[in-house]
Structures are given as C-alpha cells and as structure tokens.
Amino acid sequence: MRELGPSQARLLRAWSQGVGGDRRATSVPAVLERCLAVQAQDLRAAALGLRARGSGLTEADVHLALGAEHSLVRGWFMRGTLYLVPAGDAGWLRELLAPQLLRRSERRYRELGLGPAELALGERVITEALAGGPLTRDELAARMTEAGLNASGQVPFHLVRRSALLGTACFGPIQEDGSATYVLADDWLPASAGPTGADAVGELLHRYLAAHGPATAADFATWSGLGLPAVRPAWKELLKGGLIEPCRVGDLDAYALPADASEGLEPVGDVRLLPAYDNYLLGFTDRRLSVEPEHERAVWSGGGQISPTIVVDGLVRGVWRRDRTRAVALEPFDAGLGGVAADALDAELRDISRFLAA
C-alpha cells in the first residue's frame, strides 16, 4: 500500500486533475480526455476550467469543439448535472446513468401534468422538429405549443432533458449570442460502442481515479451519483485486477489511485486560477486536502455558490472574481499566496484575458 502524507496526496490529486505539476494539454479534446469530464452548468466557467488545464487554448476553441468539430458534448450525466464529456463517451455514459435519472424524474413529470401521453407527444415533437436542424429550447417550446402541449414554466426544460436522457437529442452548436441549441443525437454524436453494465461502472471508476486520485469509493459514488452499493463491486474488481492500488493518506487507508500514478512530486509553486464550480473542488466528499477548514466559507459561500479559486500546488490560497469592467480581482487568504512567484500569477492573469479575448 502506498503511504502518502496530506501534502503528497494533494500534489498527486492536482497532478491527476491537470491543475498541478505543469501538466497542460495542447488541445481541448486532450484536456477533456485527461480530466474525464468538466461540470458545465455555467458554460463559460467550464471553458475556463479547460483553459486552466491546457496551454494556448481559447474560448473559441471550446465553442469549435462543441460545434463544428463535434469532439465534445454538453449533457446531463453524473448526478443529472450538466457536464462536458468527450463526444465518443457520451453514448455509454448516458446508457449507464440515464435510467436512474429518468426514474428520479417521474414524480416531477407528474407534478408538471406530464403523463404518458404528454411525454410521448413531447418526444415526438422534439424528434420531428430537430430533424430540420438545430433549435433553441424556446423554439422547441413553440413547436410544443403548436402541437397542443402546455409548454409553460419548466415543461420545455424537462421534456428536452428527457429527450436527451433517452438518447434522442443532445446539445448542439452554440449560437453567436451564446444561446444553446439542440440537435438529433444520431446526427451529432459518433456511433461508437462502449462498455455496458458492470463494465461501464468499472470503466467510469478507473477513469475517475485517473483524473481525481487519490480518492475513495465514497468520493466516486457521490460524484457519479451511482451510490456505494453499485460502486463497491467495481472497486474490488479493479483492485483485484491490479488496475488501481490502495493507498493511505495520513491515518486513513480507504483511498486508491491508478497503478501507474506518478510518484515523487514536489511543490514548485504551480499556480492556477480555477473557475467557479471547478471539478477540483467538486469531485470529492472530503475537501480538507484542497481547502483548509478555516477558508471553506470563502469558497462555499452558500446558496450553492462555489467561488473561483487561486490554487497553488493543489491548495486553495484565495478566491478571485471578474468585476464589471472584466478585470480580475484577487482575494488571497495570505499576502504571499504561499510564496508563489509574482510572474507565475501574472502569467495566469494574462492567460485568462487572452483566452477570453481570442
């Protein structure tokens, strides 16, 4: 069993996530392939998360990958939350995760007056409408109304989301004004076979640990939304097969990481400005490795908000924000930011401006 102190575990976790150890990929698909998925309720924040893990990328590159290149896709995956994932993984991820999400949505459908007839009509309207090309949710809502559906309130959202979970529709290109569009999944996503059943759980777990390790089974069960009963057999199989190895962090031995994980990482003052809702803060149940307890309130300010953070060698050293003039304001927890070099911080600040302006 590998023995790790908290500092070593933090450095390794930052390295796994691509936010430490100068581990930057040079294309949007390569970044996403390495970190598996990026939470994307806020698409700009998701794009900035890709920037922090890449080199020379622009926001336009992210939109291109989501649009003409079809190399990544936005959708409802882990826990029913919006994520960016590689387009080639969208199919098997949906098949693994969607059945549970659809079951959990049944009560909400009934509350909205969506019985079997209304759900079937909504699915048919969406399928027929998208056969003509990308449409926004408002445009789909208008088609629903024309077909006799009550498309008020949250009805259009839930019908579109259901269609995506069924594999009929998916997010398509982003319009010039930033509006999301939807397309037929068969026209947009690559036809690729993926793992199913228990193999799919094992694949997702292995890739999660490659992008988040060291982590626990509980971390993965919570992040994925699959729950511990579904996760424990996959955890045991990966350990048995030697694909992951157990490790102890401090006095806790419930962790694991990929068998080929890096060793001997040293703090080098690697600074990253991570966006709001970043994976590095959302992928774990225990936050202590990345955020010291006295600073949690500054990061998780309440109401579901998660602040953009200043991370140095995997440890959150402050928060930041963009003001109305689009200037970046830094709010470090200590004046020296743990001794980070001023030129490294300046490079991150310049890179954010470059990324958004290009």
Side-chain angles (χ1 to χ4, degrees):
M1 178 180 291
R2 195 185 299 194
E3 302 278 347
L4 299 170
S7 177
Q8 293 172 304
R10 179 168 51 248
L11 286 168
L12 185 52
R13 187 176 280 182
W15 179 86
S16 298
Q17 261 289 295
V19 297
D22 199 24
R23 195 181 185 211
R24 294 179 183 264
T26 56
S27 73
V28 171
V31 171
L32 198 57
E33 185 68 31
R34 177 174 289 169
C35 66
L36 174 62
V38 170
Q39 196 154 322
Q41 305 103 306
D42 182 326
L43 187 55
R44 169 153 283 182
L48 285 167
L50 294 171
R51 178 214 67 85
R53 294 160 171 84
S55 175
L57 307 181
T58 67
E59 189 172 31
D61 292 334
V62 177
H63 289 188
L64 184 64
L66 285 165
E69 289 184 351
H70 297 208
S71 57
L72 60 149
V73 69
R74 190 182 185 201
W76 291 276
F77 296 104
M78 284 63 71
R79 308 180 313 285
T81 302
L82 283 171
Y83 273 86
L84 300 182
V85 303
D89 292 320
W92 70 267
L93 284 173
R94 183 194 61 78
E95 290 177 5
L96 172 64
L97 302 168
Q100 183 183 73
L101 300 175
L102 286 166
R103 286 194 299 272
R104 291 176 179 174
S105 299
E106 289 174 357
R107 178 179 177 181
R108 185 56 180 149
Y109 297 153
R110 291 193 296 271
E111 291 172 347
L112 292 170
L114 296 172
E118 289 78 14
L119 291 174
L121 178 57
E123 178 71 359
R124 185 167 69 250
V125 168
I126 291 170
T127 302
E128 293 175 354
L130 294 182
L135 294 173
T136 65
R137 190 196 305 168
D138 286 345
E139 290 169 334
L140 287 170
R143 302 292 183 91
M144 295 172 194
T145 299
E146 292 171 4
L149 276 167
N150 174 9
S152 62
Q154 291 190 333
V155 168
F157 165 78
H158 281 281
L159 287 177
V160 171
R161 182 176 182 268
R162 179 176 180 270
S163 187
L165 293 175
L166 289 172
T168 303
C170 68
F171 279 86
I174 301 166
Q175 294 188 329
E176 288 187 6
D177 64 0
S179 298
T181 68
Y182 302 90
V183 294
L184 289 177
D186 285 347
D187 293 342
W188 194 258
L189 298 177
S192 57
T196 60
D199 290 340
V201 178
E203 174 71 10
L204 184 57
L205 171 57
H206 189 226
R207 290 177 64 179
Y208 166 84
L209 287 172
H212 296 79
T216 67
D219 288 330
F220 174 69
T222 300
W223 173 83
S224 65
L226 291 170
L228 273 172
V231 167
R232 286 193 182 106
W235 186 271
K236 291 178 181 178
E237 282 297 313
L238 290 182
L239 285 172
K240 181 179 178 181
L243 294 175
I244 63 175
E245 65 172 304
C247 66
R248 184 189 304 274
V249 177
D251 59 354
L252 299 176
D253 61 3
Y255 290 84
L257 40 72
D260 60 354
S262 181
E263 295 189 48
L265 296 172
E266 297 290 338
V268 294
D270 193 328
V271 58
R272 308 291 171 101
L273 295 182
L274 302 185
Y277 312 107
D278 192 79
N279 281 26
Y280 187 64
L281 300 176
L282 289 170
F284 313 96
T285 57
D286 189 334
R287 306 163 177 170
R288 287 174 294 178
L289 279 180
S290 55
V291 183
E292 294 170 327
E294 62 267 32
H295 300 309
E296 277 202 4
R297 177 57 71 87
V299 178
W300 287 271
S301 56
Q305 300 298 309
I306 303 176
S307 300
T309 52
I310 308 167
V311 176
V312 182
D313 290 328
L315 182 64
V316 173
R317 294 282 189 175
V319 296
W320 63 278
R321 57 185 173 82
R322 294 180 77 217
D323 60 25
R324 293 181 180 179
T325 67
R326 298 187 178 182
V328 174
L330 303 178
E331 299 174 10
F333 298 149
D334 62 84
L337 281 174
V340 65
D343 57 350
L345 183 58
D346 287 343
E348 275 287 279
L349 290 168
R350 291 194 303 272
D351 198 61
I352 287 178
S353 297
R354 179 204 57 77
F355 175 84
L356 296 174

